[in-house]
Amino acid sequence: QVQLVESGGGLVQPGGSLRLSCAASIRVFDIFAMAWYRQAPGKQRELVAHISTDGSTNYADSVKGRFTISRDNAKNTMYLQMNSLKPEDTAVYDCNTLIRPGAWGQGTQVTVSS
């Protein structure tokens, strides 16, 4: 079973940037459509962005134009570049498959606050 480990979160001021990483234990990013999700306190987990096996991408309206999803198949790693961060982006961010997500990992906390 593939293990996914998220990293790169932290505390950033509004308008700042962060780059999240999702490292997989095995080759997966060119086999499955993958996604970044987030869950804010008291809210349901939501889909933030996904990348298909052919490299096409899709974003939630709330992050479109600010976030960029990408992957490096050779490194078994997926990224989420987050720019122009807003307080409402504060959440725990997880990576997982787009279809039938597997077990959730620890995620990485992103806090946007002045």
Side-chain angles (χ1 to χ4, degrees), residues 23-76:
S25 57
I26 59 174
R27 176 188 171 198
V28 64
F29 296 116
D30 59 342
I31 298 175
F32 299 102
M34 298 295 295
W36 282 99
Y37 301 80
R38 68 185 181 187
Q39 187 168 22
K43 295 187 177 181
Q44 289 192 337
R45 181 178 281 114
E46 64 172 338
L47 176 63
V48 175
H50 66 85
I51 184 166
S52 300
T53 54
D54 65 1
S56 59
T57 59
N58 208 304
Y59 300 90
D61 287 343
S62 59
V63 307
K64 201 170 292 183
R66 300 188 297 123
F67 290 10
T68 303
I69 188 172
S70 62
R71 65 174 189 234
D72 185 332
N73 293 341
K75 296 182 179 179
N76 290 338

